[in-house]
Amino acid sequence: MADVNSPMAGTIFELIAAVGDTVEEGDELVILESMKMEIPVEAPSAGTVAEVHIAQGDQVQEGDLLVSLSD
């Protein structure tokens, strides 16, 4: 299982991936808004979205767990 963590503090602007979605390495999972910029958070590897740990509008800190992927 691969965990996807927040690269920086910000607000969850958009959830792109949902539980059960199949993703490839580099696919966008979440759009994070920080300092008025939209930052895509990408899948580090191919897999299936096992869990989404955040909701749109949530405030996150650097390193917070966003999404878990299974092989």
PDB file of all heavy atoms in Angstrom, residues 4 7 12 19 27 31 36 41-42 47 65:
ATOM      1  N   VAL A   4      -0.192   8.673   0.122  1.00  0.00           N
ATOM      2  CA  VAL A   4       0.071   9.942  -0.545  1.00  0.00           C
ATOM      3  C   VAL A   4      -0.121  11.033   0.500  1.00  0.00           C
ATOM      4  O   VAL A   4      -1.211  11.186   1.048  1.00  0.00           O
ATOM      5  CB  VAL A   4      -0.878  10.157  -1.743  1.00  0.00           C
ATOM      6  CG1 VAL A   4      -0.578  11.485  -2.414  1.00  0.00           C
ATOM      7  CG2 VAL A   4      -0.770   8.995  -2.727  1.00  0.00           C
ATOM      8  N   PRO A   7       2.220  17.682   0.201  1.00  0.00           N
ATOM      9  CA  PRO A   7       3.557  18.249   0.040  1.00  0.00           C
ATOM     10  C   PRO A   7       3.735  19.578   0.774  1.00  0.00           C
ATOM     11  O   PRO A   7       4.860  20.029   0.959  1.00  0.00           O
ATOM     12  CB  PRO A   7       3.679  18.447  -1.466  1.00  0.00           C
ATOM     13  CG  PRO A   7       2.262  18.651  -1.918  1.00  0.00           C
ATOM     14  CD  PRO A   7       1.412  17.781  -1.006  1.00  0.00           C
ATOM     15  N   ILE A  12      -7.782  21.661   0.744  1.00  0.00           N
ATOM     16  CA  ILE A  12      -8.169  20.743  -0.319  1.00  0.00           C
ATOM     17  C   ILE A  12      -9.161  21.473  -1.216  1.00  0.00           C
ATOM     18  O   ILE A  12     -10.285  21.764  -0.823  1.00  0.00           O
ATOM     19  CB  ILE A  12      -8.791  19.447   0.237  1.00  0.00           C
ATOM     20  CG1 ILE A  12      -7.820  18.753   1.194  1.00  0.00           C
ATOM     21  CG2 ILE A  12      -9.221  18.526  -0.909  1.00  0.00           C
ATOM     22  CD1 ILE A  12      -6.478  18.384   0.594  1.00  0.00           C
ATOM     23  N   VAL A  19     -12.582   6.434  -3.914  1.00  0.00           N
ATOM     24  CA  VAL A  19     -12.314   5.043  -3.524  1.00  0.00           C
ATOM     25  C   VAL A  19     -12.764   4.115  -4.654  1.00  0.00           C
ATOM     26  O   VAL A  19     -13.851   4.267  -5.208  1.00  0.00           O
ATOM     27  CB  VAL A  19     -13.041   4.697  -2.205  1.00  0.00           C
ATOM     28  CG1 VAL A  19     -12.924   3.206  -1.903  1.00  0.00           C
ATOM     29  CG2 VAL A  19     -12.468   5.515  -1.056  1.00  0.00           C
ATOM     30  N   ASP A  27      -1.001  10.282 -12.239  1.00  0.00           N
ATOM     31  CA  ASP A  27      -2.384  10.775 -12.312  1.00  0.00           C
ATOM     32  C   ASP A  27      -2.654  11.719 -11.144  1.00  0.00           C
ATOM     33  O   ASP A  27      -2.199  11.481 -10.024  1.00  0.00           O
ATOM     34  CB  ASP A  27      -3.386   9.618 -12.246  1.00  0.00           C
ATOM     35  CG  ASP A  27      -3.487   8.827 -13.536  1.00  0.00           C
ATOM     36  OD1 ASP A  27      -2.856   9.220 -14.533  1.00  0.00           O
ATOM     37  OD2 ASP A  27      -4.215   7.811 -13.525  1.00  0.00           O
ATOM     38  N   ILE A  31      -6.338  18.304  -5.788  1.00  0.00           N
ATOM     39  CA  ILE A  31      -5.793  19.642  -6.056  1.00  0.00           C
ATOM     40  C   ILE A  31      -5.757  20.368  -4.712  1.00  0.00           C
ATOM     41  O   ILE A  31      -6.775  20.492  -4.025  1.00  0.00           O
ATOM     42  CB  ILE A  31      -6.656  20.445  -7.053  1.00  0.00           C
ATOM     43  CG1 ILE A  31      -6.810  19.702  -8.375  1.00  0.00           C
ATOM     44  CG2 ILE A  31      -6.059  21.845  -7.254  1.00  0.00           C
ATOM     45  CD1 ILE A  31      -5.538  19.521  -9.168  1.00  0.00           C
ATOM     46  N   LYS A  36      -2.787  30.889  -2.747  1.00  0.00           N
ATOM     47  CA  LYS A  36      -3.556  31.274  -3.943  1.00  0.00           C
ATOM     48  C   LYS A  36      -3.081  30.565  -5.206  1.00  0.00           C
ATOM     49  O   LYS A  36      -3.350  31.004  -6.313  1.00  0.00           O
ATOM     50  CB  LYS A  36      -3.571  32.775  -4.122  1.00  0.00           C
ATOM     51  CG  LYS A  36      -4.204  33.480  -2.943  1.00  0.00           C
ATOM     52  CD  LYS A  36      -4.481  34.913  -3.225  1.00  0.00           C
ATOM     53  CE  LYS A  36      -5.032  35.517  -1.936  1.00  0.00           C
ATOM     54  NZ  LYS A  36      -5.851  36.659  -2.140  1.00  0.00           N
ATOM     55  N   VAL A  41      -1.649  17.076  -6.663  1.00  0.00           N
ATOM     56  CA  VAL A  41      -0.967  16.012  -5.926  1.00  0.00           C
ATOM     57  C   VAL A  41      -1.176  14.746  -6.743  1.00  0.00           C
ATOM     58  O   VAL A  41      -2.318  14.343  -6.994  1.00  0.00           O
ATOM     59  CB  VAL A  41      -1.528  15.854  -4.499  1.00  0.00           C
ATOM     60  CG1 VAL A  41      -0.813  14.730  -3.773  1.00  0.00           C
ATOM     61  CG2 VAL A  41      -1.399  17.171  -3.728  1.00  0.00           C
ATOM     62  N   GLU A  42      -0.080  14.133  -7.177  1.00  0.00           N
ATOM     63  CA  GLU A  42      -0.135  13.018  -8.109  1.00  0.00           C
ATOM     64  C   GLU A  42       0.131  11.676  -7.440  1.00  0.00           C
ATOM     65  O   GLU A  42       0.781  11.602  -6.398  1.00  0.00           O
ATOM     66  CB  GLU A  42       0.888  13.241  -9.222  1.00  0.00           C
ATOM     67  CG  GLU A  42       0.648  14.524 -10.013  1.00  0.00           C
ATOM     68  CD  GLU A  42       1.733  14.796 -11.033  1.00  0.00           C
ATOM     69  OE1 GLU A  42       2.806  14.150 -10.982  1.00  0.00           O
ATOM     70  OE2 GLU A  42       1.500  15.672 -11.885  1.00  0.00           O
ATOM     71  N   GLY A  47      -2.081   1.981  -9.089  1.00  0.00           N
ATOM     72  CA  GLY A  47      -2.803   1.226  -8.068  1.00  0.00           C
ATOM     73  C   GLY A  47      -4.274   1.575  -8.059  1.00  0.00           C
ATOM     74  O   GLY A  47      -4.788   2.199  -8.985  1.00  0.00           O
ATOM     75  N   LEU A  65      -1.662  12.759   5.759  1.00  0.00           N
ATOM     76  CA  LEU A  65      -2.094  11.679   4.875  1.00  0.00           C
ATOM     77  C   LEU A  65      -3.337  12.111   4.107  1.00  0.00           C
ATOM     78  O   LEU A  65      -4.332  12.524   4.697  1.00  0.00           O
ATOM     79  CB  LEU A  65      -2.377  10.424   5.704  1.00  0.00           C
ATOM     80  CG  LEU A  65      -2.837   9.187   4.959  1.00  0.00           C
ATOM     81  CD1 LEU A  65      -1.801   8.755   3.923  1.00  0.00           C
ATOM     82  CD2 LEU A  65      -3.101   8.062   5.943  1.00  0.00           C
TER      83      LEU A  65
END
